[in-house]
Amino acid sequence: MRETCERAQIIKLFEPFENKTFPVKNRFVRAATWLGACDGATGRATPAAISRQAETAAGGAGTVISEFAYVSPEGQAAPKQWGIDVEEAVGDVRQLSAAVHGAGSKLVVQICHAGGARMSASSRGLPAYSPSGGEYPGSDIIARAMSEEDIKKVCRDFAAAAKRAKDGGADGVEIHGAHGFLLTQFLSPLINRREDRYGGSFENRLRLTREVYAAVRGAVGADFSVWLKISATEGAEGGYGPDEGTEAALTLLRDGVNVVEVSSGTGYATSEHIPSVVGVSAGESEAPFAPYAAKIRASAPKNSLVLLTGGLRSLPVMAALLEDGVADLFGLSRPFNAEPDLINRWAEDDARPSACISCNACFKTGAYGVVDCPIMRDRQEGNWDPL
């Protein structure tokens, strides 16, 4: 009886999810993943960048969130990162939308500003900006403190990027407010030492995120899906904790954000809070950020959705989380680096957990080519055929 009940719960993950906010063909989401496949000089998407993102749609994921795209040149966070800062990027979105839609899935474009989280190797000589200026953990650039005019420009840049995503045929846009990038930096009492209306109190530190959302909503209209990715806790001594992270998510949902993606931590967080947790074991240490998602889901406004990302590896765990009302959608990143066709494999009754061992070796491959899993496969770009 228990096995029958568990199987029925698992089947729900694969069934169409009909809702008023963002109906999808199943509950699986390809979480945004830097692939290092775009043109390093222009930020334009290459054929490899398009195919590597679209392959998880062909492999069964109901929704694909694009790799993070910078909204302005000074907001670039990584080498060979996608840029959605110019009108030519509409063509990139159009190509990616066509490929993802061709597989029957939906596309959400993630837009981001690095703030102080930049490295000189990928800065193209441009300055870095952060709430209060100075050194940012792990960065080799001394950032400039942002003026109010700089802040207004950030809002305009996010709005313009969101409009490009919509014009290119995407089904939604996701504001990256997690993992230590600019919006996290403003929310952080550790990084944000401003004494004006953007610093100090929780309400002030959250102000920029709310203004960015308002600008994006104004650019794309009331009927376009707008998502927010948030680190539920900064995960560092002196940083914000889960109470403020939860309230930030709920505030943005009340403002009108359609979907909140719950992650955790930053690049300078303690090991248990880093976004790509090492050593996740299927069925034992999965879903480390589930308690945060559950708290947000319990108080979220009607018709809003919660996406849980991080350390998900097996069907029984995700099925139980869905049954318990922890989250509505489930995001995977590294597992798709190892197995782009993971959802198809699961749908064909091969229910073994993801082959991903959570070692993060995939991200190191970006130093010499497109990000890939060096342990699970050795293949040429664009030749994999899930059909």
Side-chain angles (χ1 to χ4, degrees):
M1 180 66 73
R2 179 182 176 184
E3 290 183 1
T4 302
C5 182
E6 182 178 271
R7 182 170 178 80
Q9 292 174 359
I10 288 174
I11 289 173
K12 290 181 182 178
L13 295 169
F14 294 87
E15 293 176 339
F17 177 31
E18 299 296 339
N19 62 86
K20 295 181 179 180
T21 302
F22 198 78
V24 286
K25 70 177 183 180
N26 59 42
R27 306 276 184 151
F28 302 106
V29 178
R30 203 289 191 236
T33 306
W34 171 71
L35 296 171
C38 293
D39 187 292
T42 66
R44 298 284 58 74
T46 64
I50 299 295
S51 64
R52 287 299 307 279
Q53 294 179 82
E55 66 184 4
T56 49
T63 305
V64 173
I65 303 177
S66 76
E67 61 178 300
F68 66 157
Y70 56 83
V71 300
S72 62
E74 66 273 13
Q76 183 176 354
K80 296 180 289 183
Q81 183 187 352
W82 188 24
I84 195 167
D85 57 322
V86 292
E87 291 307 307
E88 287 81 359
V90 174
D92 294 348
V93 180
R94 192 169 290 122
Q95 292 180 60
L96 183 56
S97 295
V100 170
H101 293 160
S105 302
K106 288 189 171 182
L107 172 67
V108 175
V109 172
Q110 186 183 88
I111 54 178
C112 181
H113 193 298
R118 306 187 70 212
M119 298 298 292
S120 57
S122 57
S123 70
R124 298 192 241 177
L126 296 172
Y129 294 88
S130 69
S132 306
E135 295 183 5
Y136 178 85
S139 173
D140 60 353
I141 301 177
I142 302 300
R144 300 178 183 178
M146 295 178 69
S147 67
E148 289 222 10
E149 183 51 44
D150 294 329
I151 290 172
K152 291 176 182 177
K153 181 181 183 298
V154 164
C155 292
R156 292 195 300 268
D157 289 341
F158 267 98
K163 184 65 163 53
R164 293 180 191 115
K166 181 180 180 181
D167 290 347
D171 302 287
V173 65
E174 180 175 63
I175 299 165
H176 199 336
H179 300 172
F181 296 118
L182 182 64
L183 300 185
T184 311
Q185 292 162 32
F186 267 85
L187 187 58
S188 166
L190 182 65
I191 304 296
N192 183 350
R193 299 180 298 279
R194 299 176 71 98
E195 297 180 353
D196 61 2
R197 63 197 186 101
Y198 291 96
S201 69
F202 168 73
E203 290 77 12
N204 283 355
R205 287 182 280 115
L206 187 61
R207 189 182 306 279
L208 177 58
T209 302
R210 298 181 74 183
E211 289 181 350
V212 164
Y213 165 68
V216 166
R217 177 59 75 197
V220 300
D223 297 329
F224 193 68
S225 191
V226 179
W227 301 25
L228 172 71
K229 186 167 189 172
I230 192 166
S231 287
T233 178
E234 195 172 347
E237 185 176 353
Y240 71 84
D243 288 343
E244 287 194 338
T246 297
E247 185 55 33
L250 292 173
T251 298
L252 269 294
L253 286 172
R254 290 191 291 264
D255 284 351
V257 163
N258 302 109
V259 182
V260 159
E261 180 180 3
V262 181
S263 184
S264 181
T266 60
Y268 52 85
T270 54
S271 59
E272 68 271 23
H273 290 297
I274 60 172
S276 299
V277 177
V278 177
V280 174
S281 178
E284 297 179 6
S285 55
E286 287 187 65
F289 311 141
Y292 307 137
K295 192 171 181 180
I296 294 168
R297 174 70 275 172
S299 300
K302 183 180 180 181
N303 294 329
S304 60
L305 303 178
V306 172
L307 162 62
L308 172 63
T309 292
L312 298 169
R313 297 293 181 268
S314 69
L315 289 172
V317 167
M318 285 183 278
L321 291 169
L322 179 61
E323 185 70 17
D324 292 341
V326 172
D328 305 290
L329 300 167
F330 300 93
L332 301 92
S333 171
R334 293 171 292 172
F336 284 126
N337 288 345
E339 298 178 273
D341 59 342
L342 175 62
I343 308 306
N344 283 350
R345 170 166 76 77
W346 279 341
E348 292 166 0
D349 269 348
D350 181 350
R352 291 173 299 162
S354 163
C356 176
I357 61 173
S358 307
C359 65
N360 287 345
C362 51
F363 297 128
K364 296 180 180 179
T365 65
Y368 55 82
V370 180
V371 169
D372 206 345
C373 178
I375 296 173
M376 286 305 301
R377 57 184 180 164
D378 181 12
R379 61 179 179 78
Q380 297 298 315
E381 296 175 3
N383 287 344
W384 179 79
D385 183 0
L387 305 178

